[in-house]
Amino acid sequence: MAKELKNYINGKWVVAENSGYLDVENPSTGETLGKVPLSTEAEAGRAVAAAKAAFKGWRDTPVAERAEYMYKMLAIMKENEEELSRTLTSEMGKSIPDARAEMKRTFQNIEAACSAPMLQQGYKMLGCARNIDGEVINLPIGVFVAISPFNFPAMTPFWFIPFAIVTGNTFILKPSELVPMTADLSAHLIEKIGLPAGVFNLVHGDKVAGNSFIENPDVAGVSFVGKSATCVEIAAKCAAHKKRYQAMGSAKNHLVVMPDYVQMDELIRNMSTSCFGCAGQRCMASSAIVAVGDEMYEKVSTRFVEDAKNFITANPLDPKYANEPLLTGPVITAQAKDFIHKMIETGVKEGATLALDGRGIEVPGCEKGHFIGPTVFTDVKPGMEIHKTEIFGPVVVILKVDTLDEAIKIINEHQYSNACSIYTQNGYYARKFKLEVEPGMVGINVGIPAPVPFLPFGGSKYSMICDIKMQGQEAFRFYTHDRVVIERYWTED
Amino acid sequence: MAKELKNYINGKWVVAENSGYLDVENPSTGETLGKVPLSTEAEAGRAVAAAKAAFKGWRDTPVAERAEYMYKMLAIMKENEEELSRTLTSEMGKSIPDARAEMKRTFQNIEAACSAPMLQQGYKMLGCARNIDGEVINLPIGVFVAISPFNFPAMTPFWFIPFAIVTGNTFILKPSELVPMTADLSAHLIEKIGLPAGVFNLVHGDKVAGNSFIENPDVAGVSFVGKSATCVEIAAKCAAHKKRYQAMGSAKNHLVVMPDYVQMDELIRNMSTSCFGCAGQRCMASSAIVAVGDEMYEKVSTRFVEDAKNFITANPLDPKYANEPLLTGPVITAQAKDFIHKMIETGVKEGATLALDGRGIEVPGCEKGHFIGPTVFTDVKPGMEIHKTEIFGPVVVILKVDTLDEAIKIINEHQYSNACSIYTQNGYYARKFKLEVEPGMVGINVGIPAPVPFLPFGGSKYSMICDIKMQGQEAFRFYTHDRVVIERYWTED
Amino acid sequence: MAKELKNYINGKWVVAENSGYLDVENPSTGETLGKVPLSTEAEAGRAVAAAKAAFKGWRDTPVAERAEYMYKMLAIMKENEEELSRTLTSEMGKSIPDARAEMKRTFQNIEAACSAPMLQQGYKMLGCARNIDGEVINLPIGVFVAISPFNFPAMTPFWFIPFAIVTGNTFILKPSELVPMTADLSAHLIEKIGLPAGVFNLVHGDKVAGNSFIENPDVAGVSFVGKSATCVEIAAKCAAHKKRYQAMGSAKNHLVVMPDYVQMDELIRNMSTSCFGCAGQRCMASSAIVAVGDEMYEKVSTRFVEDAKNFITANPLDPKYANEPLLTGPVITAQAKDFIHKMIETGVKEGATLALDGRGIEVPGCEKGHFIGPTVFTDVKPGMEIHKTEIFGPVVVILKVDTLDEAIKIINEHQYSNACSIYTQNGYYARKFKLEVEPGMVGINVGIPAPVPFLPFGGSKYSMICDIKMQGQEAFRFYTHDRVVIERYWTED
Amino acid sequence: MAKELKNYINGKWVVAENSGYLDVENPSTGETLGKVPLSTEAEAGRAVAAAKAAFKGWRDTPVAERAEYMYKMLAIMKENEEELSRTLTSEMGKSIPDARAEMKRTFQNIEAACSAPMLQQGYKMLGCARNIDGEVINLPIGVFVAISPFNFPAMTPFWFIPFAIVTGNTFILKPSELVPMTADLSAHLIEKIGLPAGVFNLVHGDKVAGNSFIENPDVAGVSFVGKSATCVEIAAKCAAHKKRYQAMGSAKNHLVVMPDYVQMDELIRNMSTSCFGCAGQRCMASSAIVAVGDEMYEKVSTRFVEDAKNFITANPLDPKYANEPLLTGPVITAQAKDFIHKMIETGVKEGATLALDGRGIEVPGCEKGHFIGPTVFTDVKPGMEIHKTEIFGPVVVILKVDTLDEAIKIINEHQYSNACSIYTQNGYYARKFKLEVEPGMVGINVGIPAPVPFLPFGGSKYSMICDIKMQGQEAFRFYTHDRVVIERYWTED
């Protein structure tokens, strides 16, 4: 029988007070991997209470000592890379090479947090006025919560865990109920590094637990990654509850190809792995290609469709494909598959040309899997639903424009504003593009312009409903308050 | 007849489309200083449209050129310091020395913005991966609005104007309808520096205009200073409208006196000017004194009440008092005076000792003025309304505790968390205090721990409903987006 | 009779104790503009004593007050821009448009120093160990001296004056004895801003005064700009005398033209103004063009020589040429002219082709002027003297290579390593170039890659014999010591 | 027979070309621990050539990959902590607890270097002028050498190794010939982390090798820790050879005790461990106590001498004392012992009172050891040789002054200016002290104000003959050159 996952609260594994268990499904096979409890508000409250109780002692631990735990966390996660990779693949469906790439980013987030003794430093102004000095001290704030999404089961929790903890806060993870096994494994590894009880906690559940954190006055801040509409709701609720928040939302990432580009092999492969890797379920996946000029449009359309056919739609745990980079696994759920099918039908109805249809693919032995193969629409116009909507599947739309200005306009007028890239060898185009587009992450000849964890990560406008990005210096800012101290001593008495 | 103020939109002074005019009152004399229009939503929208149209050109102006305008702004504001001081005093009621101090901070905010060419710089990471570089560029975002309060008619607008503009955004000021004359004068001075039309705009009005800015999709961000409850509302609304925001709220700033302190003359005067200057209407004013130990409580209570009697309650424009630092002017409105009277009555009912009663003071020739003299309650307990409420008048409560820990507890359990100070010569107490209290601004032997504009300004918890503070480096952060660019060139083709 | 210049020591203009006076010559006309005293060691010592005495009071003046003087300095310098421009042109010989460009950079250096309250801030680490905090405070050090060169009579002193002073040090300028009139005028303007006596001092003289500063134990640091060989001497002497130093030396700045470049008009003009402006006497002037490929070499050689003929060799104060950008004025002295002539002869002897010969130009009415017109050598090889030597005149050598790698090799093997530029539209070439060349300043499509004062300025290797550059953040570093303070309080006693 | 140490060059252990071998002596027992080769100039040159050849490949390795090696270095050093501790103790003589403390600092230096991906980032200025951007990129420079001293055999090499390497430079260590065993062990551990050949090299030797590095044109920079007079020589030589350098020199660290101080137990023990730990051979050891006021002077003198008697003078490897913190081991050589004896005699002749005489102590079984017990002089005056000289042994001088100003004067007039501390509970004294003393490291109630590796480390004036300190951000600055790039693209062609 499938294992019932527990919560990790105050240094102990506990059976969750819950409103039921959900089956955790392998999206390739339909097999049940485990059972995840839907924790109640009371259960969530216990985690908050534990984290709150642990705060003062942890805050007062010197930052270099707190960082020691991060070195241990890094070591134990690295030692278990393969098991983590297989676990996340089994419940999420991405390829093993993708899972390993995810683990690398996970490690680098912990590494960035290891820099805390160098980065969690305030500043000091002598002589604000005669005999008066000022200083800014970066202090931890209290209990933080992250509500993480399904598409990077290992990495997204670690956008938060190491930074929150190393800065002196205490922390609760509520992972996506669709991929709780990786979080469970990660928490078991974290358990071994010996953090004081209550510093790190894991609470499984759905929106009930999630919302209860947002409404709990003892929670100082919440991070969320998900749909833009939910981001806005959560942001407004956090503001109303006087909390810090980060809310990273939906995306429609455009790739612009300039007519000067000649490295066609690199170009096409760079684009196709961005579009079809992870079955298009990366928030940094590209899903719209904008070719500038008739000639480039023809060339890109033709070759992109050809290259898409090189992708294998298969169970990523099939030993045959253990090192296969061109693998498109299943999408996360049957509902997701239905939605994508519906969007493909919409595209056809809207008059786009379905140049490659990924529906109806059968993966032998995986009849219950949620597979869709690479799908490409050409002749797409900016007004169409398939261009406006985040499909979150291996579905790509290709648009044609005449000029770079038009391409930029399409990007800036799109409701989502996460990332975009240009392919060009020309320095003028590259500079114009990076300055004039509005998304928060911009690539030049890079299909997935996801910043390494030593740089900030985040979109703009409707794709990021908050002010402070994730990763890098920004993560340190989110998790600390800049207290200003003004000091004077008149005389020696 | 009193002058009807105009709006300044797109480089022109225009008669506001309005729903009526309010009289601007001199709170010392009741005289009408001018008439302020209550701009309509359509009028506000025109300002937004103008600012939006001006954005691209202004954004593309090199930062050093934008900074040149700040040097001019600084020069023209300094040249008109006396007129600005008198204007703000006439409509707000603070003393002329206080007004000059306010002007000094105003100038320093502009100076901090002059640093833009040095501070609006992003960063650069070579080798994110082999042959891939990353950079973070700090870009302006669009149209920003500030909704400023009545208590610092000159300075609070300049917490925003210079930083918003120098970073390349365009800007709209909606000043408090109680003190629009200073904003009008400031805008006339700004007009002379020759900014491109639409970069700076002034729209008079009340909540109608304020809210319309928050709801306008072309506004990128809003700054607000006012009551905490309004801050929460505005923050939630801004989040729901996908905007950046800053919202600085209410305060109850505590001064803790440790038993070791012996410089009693400096102590008492430092506290009384903090409490009674500006009639207690500074957000950084102290209004609660916490004495540690019986002996210090007795000494502080007695001497503080004595010193309070040295304050003159008078019309600040009375030439006799042009350089009088110990002047308590009127509170801003008749309603404010009523509220304060009611709070004094509440204090008496709650059982606090009214050691000095500032009610009933008559200022000859100023019968219509809203005067209240210094008022002191002793024997105050943490549960009382007069301790929980932000009275925003010259009313001080004095509490006694036995230990520093108790004093810190009172501060941290108070709903507001703006600023606080300790008086001690002892390094241990000073360090413990600054690390353990929760307000965002902390003083050591400083009655008003207001950071100079080269450092951040802002409270915490219910006193600051946002993540990014004002002034200093933080102001540059609020007004820019950190876009990340990831760049690669494969080959020379 | 020509005016005898005075020294400015301790707030007073004094007749220098001197070993004689030198005539200051207008290099266009030979006319004597003034007489500059060669101050003795004793005189220099008096300036040091005055600066030392002023140090403590100035150091303890709050940084924002010190910055107020910079705002005044900026204003008074701007008001006198035209007189400064004409003065520097009269003694140095550059064109009036060049002089104005120099003034702009001068102003921006003062502006960068105005940022001191934001930039002269240290940092703070809480919890170095349990209950132990650390802080780094940026303190001024004492008396600084700058020994400035002739080619930027206004700007180079201001690479040092504002930064040294605003950070709280006291300062002595020893300007080049060839161009003391601009320094005299600048000092008279600085006098008017009312700095405390001894904070800024001016001492005229030659190497005698210069060396005496280096050997004076009360001087904390010395900045020097001049020939590389002198830099090395001065650096070693400063090290031996336990002083900070900056020493910026000689240059041979290369411009590389890639075959892909098509904007030939902009290219040629950009190169020619870099090479012939200021008669080639800028340390950032380009004097070596490296064309990649036969075709580009032919095109560049031909068109560059053509464009060189558009330059007018004339007296820059001739009213006809007040706004003439294509003007080549005189070189600084008769000796300089002789040296350049000798180098031209050398080039001919070495076998280079003298494609344009600027010798023998006569400027009517300026028979005593030191004029040389634009001079171009083609067919130049890396081994030649005219390529190895810094000629510091309007003499350009053009080399041909086959690949970018060859061009980079020529640059990196040259003894000087100040600046270089590439002309290309290709992002790959641009990145390769900026990463692989060794000079400290690199341009991409920029003939004079001189950083604005908000960025650091300085070469590398034999062109900069020190660790800390000038301008921007680096200037703040040079003029402050980072003291570390480690603090603990055990108990409340 | 004692092992002959080898050099580690280009990834291989090689028998050094040498001018002879020196015996490495255990200073407690006189036993020979090994034989260290005195490498020739030719041998040193081979290491430089190897390091130079390795530079390009290492420089182009992404910083996060370079940092991976630092994580491995940290892990392997931690795993071998005990062996490293015993090795360093056996050749240097400090106590095992001291050796472990040294190892902790060693690890933290590696940790600080692990932060490279976050810290080795340049900056970026958009719009230096219209359409022109600037960026500052922090590039490695080439081959660096460190010449490390005997007193911290493990830590001082790691002030340099990890920072030099992680930033992309290649590196050569020349350890003190007195303590080469720890360096040998460290290099064997570093070997295991698999750095590319030539990135890290170890060359044993004396001044011959040291000087040859300074004179080698392929060495970009040299770090040295030793006597101030040698620092000045090395600095001048490096300047003359156009090299970067760091040179940290001698010290006489003062501890000032204010009359208000009452925690006498902590005070006395804090001072005595600072003075007698490591037999007074730490550069951060205190060796001069300045008591303010007669009463405090009496109290401190008496109690300090009493506490000194609690120290055990013994062989630190004696198992009895494995965890003994109050142990004074031998001084490093017979010559050092002779010098210290001579200084004690000098003190007696000068008229100071020899309150405790550490001469003549016998450690059973260690007759060949260089032991001197805690030695205290009272009635010392600032003019005396024992106050002016760095004795580098367990010899303390106690001085009396009447005021804090006098104490500060003594510190600031001393030739050395490394570190100093004050003991006071009074915030006014603490601030006055930290601002007015001149040494580079200042403690408040801290006997050894040695900054953690996340902060800079370095004295001032004659104690630090360079501009850039070690550790923290400064280490990153020393090992990188800030290249400025100015970029423009005119048009799309």
Side-chain angles (χ1 to χ4, degrees), chain D residues 43-249:
Chain D
E43 177 81 359
R46 279 193 284 274
V48 174
K52 190 185 178 190
F55 175 58
K56 194 176 171 334
W58 184 240
R59 173 194 78 182
D60 293 343
T61 304
V63 60
E65 284 183 40
R66 296 194 308 251
E68 289 303 312
Y69 291 97
M70 297 303 115
Y71 285 93
K72 288 179 191 160
M73 187 186 285
L74 178 63
I76 203 162
M77 292 289 286
K78 281 188 172 178
E79 284 161 23
N80 292 276
E81 177 175 3
E82 273 308 296
E83 188 181 355
L84 285 158
S85 297
R86 293 189 68 80
T87 302
L88 79 89
T89 287
S90 70
E91 65 183 349
M92 190 279 160
K94 65 177 65 175
S95 72
I96 291 290
D98 263 3
R100 289 193 193 113
E102 180 179 343
M103 290 318 302
K104 190 176 173 192
R105 288 285 165 118
T106 306
F107 303 154
Q108 289 186 331
N109 272 289
I110 306 174
E111 288 173 7
C114 286
S115 306
M118 295 293 292
L119 283 170
Q120 193 178 358
Q121 298 195 3
Y123 44 104
K124 179 96 199 179
M125 183 185 183
L126 292 182
C128 302
R130 201 164 284 266
N131 296 322
I132 299 186
D133 302 329
E135 68 187 23
V136 176
I137 52 181
N138 300 111
L139 296 160
I141 305 173
V143 179
F144 278 85
V145 173
I147 301 170
S148 60
F150 78 85
N151 56 344
F152 285 86
M155 183 184 71
T156 50
F158 285 83
W159 270 349
F160 311 108
I161 297 169
F163 296 107
I165 290 178
V166 82
T167 49
N169 301 286
T170 54
F171 184 81
I172 302 162
L173 175 66
K174 194 213 80 59
S176 166
E177 62 270 38
L178 300 175
V179 295
M181 310 302 291
T182 312
D184 178 72
L185 173 53
S186 299
H188 277 88
L189 296 174
I190 290 173
E191 184 186 17
K192 294 191 189 161
I193 67 174
L195 284 164
V199 170
F200 169 77
N201 305 275
L202 172 71
V203 171
H204 290 291
D206 59 9
K207 288 196 171 184
V208 172
N211 275 326
S212 81
F213 289 126
I214 294 168
E215 288 162 13
N216 190 318
D218 287 330
V219 170
V222 173
S223 297
F224 172 79
V225 182
K227 300 237 165 281
S228 285
T230 319
C231 285
V232 168
E233 271 175 47
I234 284 181
K237 231 186 257 181
C238 283
H241 285 86
K242 300 171 254 167
K243 280 185 178 39
R244 294 202 160 201
Y245 57 88
Q246 292 177 305
M248 303 285 161

Side-chain angles (χ1 to χ4, degrees), chain D residues 8 10 36 49 63 92 108 114 118 170 179 186 200 258 289-290 293 343 359 376 414 434-435 447 451 481 488:
Chain D
Y8 183 70
N10 206 25
V36 61
V63 60
M92 190 279 160
Q108 289 186 331
C114 286
M118 295 293 292
T170 54
V179 295
S186 299
F200 169 77
M258 294 303 292
I289 294 171
V290 183
M343 286 309 303
R359 292 175 296 183
V376 184
H414 199 281
K434 79 178 180 188
L435 292 182
H481 174 82
R488 163 171 55 188

Side-chain angles (χ1 to χ4, degrees), chain A residues 260-277:
Chain A
D260 72 285
Y261 211 68
V262 299
Q263 298 116 314
M264 289 306 291
D265 290 347
E266 288 88 346
L267 168 72
I268 296 296
R269 182 54 54 87
N270 202 253
M271 295 200 300
S272 63
T273 52
S274 171
C275 295
F276 303 127

